[in-house]
Structure formats: C-alpha cells, structure tokens
Amino acid sequence: MGPYPEIEPYDRGMLDVGDGNLVYWEVCGNPRGKPAVVLHGGPGSGCTPFARRYFDPAVYRIVLLDQRGCGRSVPHASAYETDMGVNTTDRLIADLELLRRQLGIGRWLVWGVSWGSVLGLRYAQTHPGAVSELVLTGVATGSDAEVALLTRGLGKIFPEAFERFLALVPGSERDGNLAAAYHRLIESPDPAVRERAARAWTDWETAIVPAPPRSVARYEDARFRMGFARTVTHYWGNGHFLGEGGEEGVVLRDAHLLKGIPGTLVQGSLDLGNLTGVVWRLQHAWSTSELTVVDEAGHNAGAPGVVDALVAATDAYARG
C-alpha cells in the first residue's frame, strides 16, 4: 500500500496562542475534506512533510502544527531565554482547541505518534466532542513507569551506552529521576554544560531506539538537538504535566473517557516501550479501539508495515 504521494500545503500561518508564543500550522489536501490533525512526537520534534502522506489528500483536510517551542514555532526551546514554564500539556491542548476553532473545524480525526499519542489521548479525554477518531502509533501514555523504563530500565539492555549516559549526572542525583537531572543540566547558565547534556541525551535516545538515518541526522543540528533535549527532559522530568495518576498514570486511569471514540493503535512488535505492557492495557480498557501489531518493526512510524497499517486506518475512517 505505502504512503500517499507528496503534497504541499495550500494554507499556513502562525497562531498567537498567548504566553508570547506563536505556533506554526499548515493545511493540505482537500479544503472541504474530512478534517484530521497530526500530533508529532518528542515532545519537541516538530512536524515533517512525510506526515502529510498518511492521508488520502482527495478525502482529507490535513492539519499539521509544530507544538510550542519546536519546528517553526517561536520562541524556540533551543534559546536559553525561552520560558519553558509556559510549555505544558494543558497549554498544548488549549492550543489545539484555539487552532480548531480558528480553522472552523467542528470535529477532527486525531493522528499521533509517540508523545503525540500521549497528547492525543489526553486531548480526547478532556475534549471528546472535538475528536471523531484516533489513529496512534508508537503508543505511549506518559506514565512514570514508561519514563523509568526509557531512562533507567533499559540500562540493563544497553549497559555501555547507559554508563556514558549516567556519567554526566552528579552522583547525588543518579538514583533519582534521570530526566529531571538532565533537565537541570540543560538549564545550566553555562552553555558548555547545556551542550554536553543535550548531546548526551540524544546519544542515549539513539542507543535505545535504533533509528532510521533521518532521525539520527537531525541530532547533528545543534538547534534541533538543544530544543529537543530541553523539551523532552522538561516533560519527562515533570510527569508530562499530567498530574498524579497512581501506578498506571492519568491517561490509562482515564481510559474509560474514550468510550465511544473509535481508535486504531498501530504498534511495532519490537518497540521497547512495549515492555511496560501499556499498549495492551490501554486497548483492553478502551472498548472502541483496535490494536494492530506490526512484526519486526520498532518505534518507527516510517517502517513499511507501520505505514501500511496507518494508511489503512485513515482510509477506513475516511469511509466512515
């Protein structure tokens, strides 16, 4: 099946969301088509042209945006003076609602990858009337258990890389929240400390998520690397700003709020996030969802089998 052909936006802009932030957005496909919004990963990755290709452009009105602090949105998180205190999950959800209303959209399909799946799930739980369907891949829920796995638990599987990752953390902080410890380093007034921390963080992410060349190459861009590492550690070090949700986390705890919203979860069988079992628990707690597991695929929305499953999902919802 594969992705749809490359397309260009027919409209774009910068949305003033308050707090001194302007969020980049674009729309492509059919201006009178079924609305869909793409939520990128990271947090802090930014949207990419390939994400337009998961949808039939003759049928869908496809909205993409760069979340606060990343991509073409300003101010960028890589700038030391950028206030990260106004970059939280609640504010990102409010930005989505502001954009939806500005574009005159009643309900839209929400497509999310990795962190975008966390954001999409929480958006649907808090604004169910705005969401027609959910299509999610590289599924995560933002729980403390998932962060602990990705920052510490995988150290047993990648011991050499973990030793390098841990070396930068002060000894007194090595038994605590490693994402929070790295965020403190990235907030250092010393630019050399900030740069070493951002590099070490992206080196660890590369080690634990065997990545396609594009994902590795983007870490060589100093602006992207700093903004990405600063944003990820900001969210991971603060419980994704989701509040107290007990052992399962807020999103899984509130899975019942998704009742009635059709959903498709597409997950690579080799995605190491699966080790927490959260995807299977989410699917069983969400009665109107279905799970497709793609063999021999990892945490990669661009893997051929994953792309096929995602396109099949959006095609199916286009007919609904």
Side-chain angles (χ1 to χ4, degrees):
M1 180 178 294
Y4 282 96
E6 294 181 6
I7 53 173
E8 292 298 321
Y10 65 79
D11 195 11
R12 55 166 55 92
M14 300 291 287
L15 178 66
D16 187 343
V17 295
D19 304 318
N21 279 259
L22 298 175
V23 166
Y24 170 83
W25 59 270
E26 63 182 40
V27 189
C28 51
N30 181 349
R32 293 173 295 280
K34 177 183 175 71
V37 62
V38 173
L39 304 182
H40 62 70
S45 293
C47 63
T48 65
F50 190 84
R52 306 167 187 159
R53 302 178 64 190
Y54 293 104
F55 306 86
D56 182 345
V59 176
Y60 277 97
R61 180 186 180 191
I62 311 154
V63 181
L64 298 93
L65 71 152
D66 290 330
Q67 296 157 28
R68 291 189 183 206
C70 67
R72 289 149 289 190
S73 295
V74 292
H76 199 269
S78 61
Y80 182 64
E81 63 273 13
T82 296
D83 180 8
M84 297 301 291
V86 297
N87 194 329
T88 63
T89 302
D90 285 348
R91 285 179 168 87
L92 298 188
I93 289 173
D95 296 348
L96 290 175
E97 279 296 276
L98 189 61
L99 179 59
R100 182 180 66 82
R101 291 193 297 269
Q102 172 162 306
L103 295 177
I105 293 171
R107 300 168 73 220
W108 49 12
L109 179 151
V110 175
W111 188 104
V113 55
S114 193
W115 153 252
S117 66
V118 182
L119 181 60
L121 286 163
R122 196 58 185 160
Y123 175 60
Q125 289 173 343
T126 54
H127 296 80
V131 179
S132 57
E133 302 92 8
L134 284 158
V135 176
L136 308 174
T137 190
V139 181
T141 66
S143 68
D144 291 344
E146 290 163 273
V147 171
L149 170 70
L150 296 174
T151 56
R152 187 180 299 280
L154 293 179
K156 297 177 181 178
I157 302 175
F158 305 99
E160 184 177 357
F162 186 65
E163 185 176 342
R164 293 193 297 269
F165 178 62
L166 207 58
L168 215 60
V169 179
S172 61
E173 300 182 40
R174 291 185 182 181
D175 292 329
N177 184 320
L178 293 178
Y182 258 89
H183 190 64
R184 285 188 285 272
L185 291 170
I186 291 173
E187 293 297 330
S188 168
D190 184 339
V193 172
R194 297 199 299 269
E195 177 51 38
R196 284 196 300 272
R199 171 64 76 178
W201 181 269
T202 54
D203 284 350
W204 172 245
E205 290 226 2
T206 300
I208 64 173
V209 182
R214 183 194 63 79
S215 294
V216 175
R218 66 184 183 175
Y219 293 148
E220 296 307 310
D221 181 321
R223 181 174 182 266
F224 178 90
R225 181 172 64 243
M226 178 60 68
F228 176 82
R230 190 182 186 197
T231 306
V232 172
T233 57
H234 172 61
Y235 274 80
W236 288 20
N238 288 284
H240 290 83
F241 302 98
L242 289 168
E244 296 295 330
E247 185 176 346
E248 292 187 324
V250 170
V251 170
L252 194 56
R253 180 201 68 192
D254 290 349
H256 64 281
L257 299 176
L258 301 169
K259 182 179 180 181
I261 300 176
T264 299
L265 310 174
V266 177
Q267 197 76 351
S269 64
L270 301 181
D271 190 326
L272 293 177
N274 296 341
L275 294 174
T276 64
V278 71
V279 180
W280 287 266
R281 286 184 284 148
L282 174 64
Q283 194 275 321
H284 283 91
W286 178 10
S287 60
T288 49
S289 70
E290 58 181 27
L291 172 62
T292 298
V293 177
V294 180
D295 289 337
E296 299 184 9
H299 193 77
N300 180 8
V306 173
V307 172
D308 290 347
L310 292 168
V311 170
T314 59
D315 282 353
Y317 289 133
R319 296 191 296 267

